[in-house]
Amino acid sequence: MPSRRRSASGYRGVRQRPNGGFYAEIRSGDLRLSLGTYDTAHEAARAFGAAAWRLGRLRLQMNFPDVRTLQQALDLAPPPRLNSTQDRAEHTALQRRLLVAQEDERVMAEWRRRHPEDVAYEQEYWERRREEDTRRRHEERLDRCRRKALACAQADLVNAGGRSFFTEEDERWFDIWLSTSDDTDDDGGADDWND
């Protein structure tokens, strides 16, 4: 029987988790023995090696063929993870938060079912807020455009040899660098590429 190919972690029986940890397990037919999650692929591979020795696997099926005895494999394997009081307290707190969130979702679904007029009012409120925010952003953009146009006109006047009513220290000169782009869609289809 050909040996199984190695996973992306580079070790047999070790897979990388989405959170960055490494998960080790031994598979044999229908048997699937979880060895836990480790910080590095190397630690997970060492745990795999110790378990493989205990199960009597061939050395060819191990990640480190230079390990020749069970005792060497156990010496090189990472120590078992211990659940401290702090770990248990954090787990309990997370479980409580999950239960509270689930209960909150259940109560909100019940409230929405019993009070559809409040749901409609809330949706209208947020629609009004979005419209007001869009109008405010549009007015702010128009103000920036006006200030930028004034500063650019003054700069063109000075470049043409004229005299500006801005003083040299006037902060309005910085308005030349204002961005006049807008991230809303309510600008009447104007082209924002010409700042």
Side-chain angles (χ1 to χ4, degrees):
M1 179 171 144
S3 63
R4 292 184 67 178
R5 68 180 182 83
R6 294 182 187 269
S7 67
S9 68
Y11 295 105
R12 180 177 279 113
V14 177
R15 292 196 173 98
Q16 186 168 11
R17 293 272 190 193
N19 67 0
F22 293 88
Y23 175 74
E25 72 177 9
I26 290 184
R27 292 182 180 187
S28 177
D30 293 340
L31 174 69
R32 202 171 177 181
L33 178 63
S34 171
L35 303 174
T37 303
Y38 298 88
D39 294 331
T40 66
H42 191 77
E43 286 179 341
R46 290 293 185 188
F48 176 90
W53 268 101
R54 284 191 183 118
L55 294 173
R57 290 277 178 104
L58 299 174
R59 278 191 22 220
L60 294 175
Q61 296 176 343
M62 297 189 191
N63 291 311
F64 304 102
D66 58 330
V67 176
R68 302 192 185 289
T69 65
L70 171 60
Q71 189 57 46
Q72 280 181 323
L74 292 174
D75 291 342
L76 295 173
R81 294 184 69 136
L82 299 176
N83 289 332
S84 66
T85 306
Q86 181 181 357
D87 293 335
R88 285 191 294 277
E90 288 173 3
H91 178 73
T92 303
L94 289 173
Q95 289 298 314
R96 272 195 213 113
R97 287 176 58 192
L98 178 62
L99 290 173
V100 167
Q102 289 171 341
E103 180 63 15
D104 187 44
E105 288 176 8
R106 188 192 65 75
V107 168
M108 286 304 295
E110 179 67 20
W111 178 83
R112 284 191 292 275
R113 188 184 64 75
R114 288 185 180 182
H115 305 285
E117 68 281 355
D118 289 344
V119 173
Y121 175 78
E122 184 180 8
Q123 290 171 345
E124 290 170 9
Y125 169 79
W126 288 113
E127 182 61 31
R128 281 194 314 271
R129 282 287 304 269
R130 281 191 293 276
E131 289 172 1
E132 290 169 3
D133 288 347
T134 299
R135 186 173 30 260
R136 180 185 46 78
R137 283 194 307 272
H138 187 67
E139 290 170 359
E140 288 172 356
R141 178 176 179 265
L142 290 176
D143 181 57
R144 286 193 313 268
C145 287
R146 182 192 56 77
R147 289 171 39 207
K148 182 172 184 167
L150 177 62
C152 288
Q154 292 299 308
D156 291 342
L157 183 65
V158 169
N159 288 338
R163 182 168 151 78
S164 171
F165 60 83
F166 288 176
T167 63
E168 286 187 24
E169 301 298 322
D170 198 327
E171 291 187 6
R172 290 180 288 181
W173 284 114
F174 295 117
D175 291 345
I176 290 175
W177 308 109
L178 283 176
S179 171
T180 57
S181 65
D182 189 13
D183 58 359
T184 63
D185 296 328
D186 298 339
D187 60 357
D191 184 11
D192 288 335
W193 290 101
N194 298 324
D195 281 353

